[in-house]
Amino acid sequence: MRQPTVIAPSILSANFARLGDDVARVVSGGADWIHFDVMDNHYVPNLTFGPMVCEALRPFAGAAMMDVHLMVEPVDALVPSFAKAGAGLISFHPEASRHVDRTLALIREQGCQTGLVFNPATPLHWLDSVMDKLDLVMLMSVNPGFGGQTFIASTLPKLREARKRIDAYMRETGRAVRLEVDGGVKTDNIAAIAAAGADTFVAGSAIFGSPDWGSTIASLRAAAGLRPS
Ligand code: DX5
Ligand code: ZN
């Protein structure tokens, strides 16, 4: 029951001196979403950009959705700002919110889709009580904070487990939930990642570090395929 493949380039690996142009170019190269990594030097040991930059880039993204990945603590105060800045989906880490259910409700109230993000060592049991409030489950396949890290292999069995839970939920309710993977996704491992159940793929260094972003996106999409569930 995988959803159609989505490729979400992470602009963490774009050129920060010309972000608007890079967003427009990667969208014309076939990006479905723009993955926007927000880091606060508190929840993660790095610092990137906030809602003002998201708002400035939104017009350059055209039809591509802004997929805002919050690696910040606390979470709630930034949710309305990112909703106003044009986020389509806002995801956050459960460890960073005192009240996960409240944060999910807030994201929906603000008119955005919701995502819950699992670090490599975060157990999936957080899903037990909130699946009905989620539009997307995201598994980190690196520790959050930096682009260009190596894919952690234990993410594959974890993806299979998440896929099972999502499929059971979708069978029961008929409502679609996406399964996104973030970190170390490349043209040579995306087929195995898709086979483990992911349908939504973040790729930063693989796309922005390649000479032809459009052909890399096409290769990623072709290798991910769309297998029947
Ligand atoms: C890491 C970020 C990722 C990262 C992906 O904290 O959430 O989105 O930038 O970059 P690559 O594809 O280079 O691992
Ligand atoms: Zn990310």
Side-chain angles (χ1 to χ4, degrees), residues 18-135:
R18 47 161 207 247
L19 274 180
D21 290 346
D22 279 10
V23 166
R25 271 177 65 202
V26 84
V27 169
S28 63
D32 301 295
W33 296 357
I34 292 296
H35 187 78
F36 192 85
D37 283 311
V38 183
M39 303 186 185
D40 68 347
N41 192 38
H42 174 69
Y43 180 66
V44 289
N46 201 356
L47 188 63
T48 57
F49 28 54
M52 289 186 289
V53 176
C54 183
E55 189 173 10
L57 293 178
R58 177 56 266 180
F60 293 85
M65 183 178 81
M66 295 304 272
D67 171 27
V68 173
H69 176 192
L70 295 182
M71 287 161 276
V72 304
E73 185 180 358
V75 179
D76 293 9
L78 284 175
V79 168
S81 318
F82 273 104
K84 280 191 202 79
L89 185 147
I90 299 177
S91 60
F92 66 98
H93 293 245
E95 301 91 341
S97 169
R98 284 281 175 90
H99 305 282
V100 170
D101 183 89
R102 174 180 285 152
T103 305
L104 291 169
L106 176 63
I107 294 171
R108 286 214 169 144
E109 267 166 42
Q110 294 290 318
C112 296
Q113 294 184 58
T114 57
L116 198 61
V117 191
F118 293 79
N119 284 332
T122 305
L124 291 176
H125 65 60
W126 286 96
L127 288 175
D128 292 347
S129 313
V130 295
M131 194 68 105
D132 59 324
K133 305 239 169 54
L134 295 182
D135 298 300

Side-chain angles (χ1 to χ4, degrees), residues 10 12 35 37 39 69 71 140 144-148 182-184 202-205:
S10 163
L12 190 59
H35 187 78
D37 283 311
M39 303 186 185
H69 176 192
M71 287 161 276
M140 293 301 302
F146 303 94
D182 186 7
V202 176
S205 48

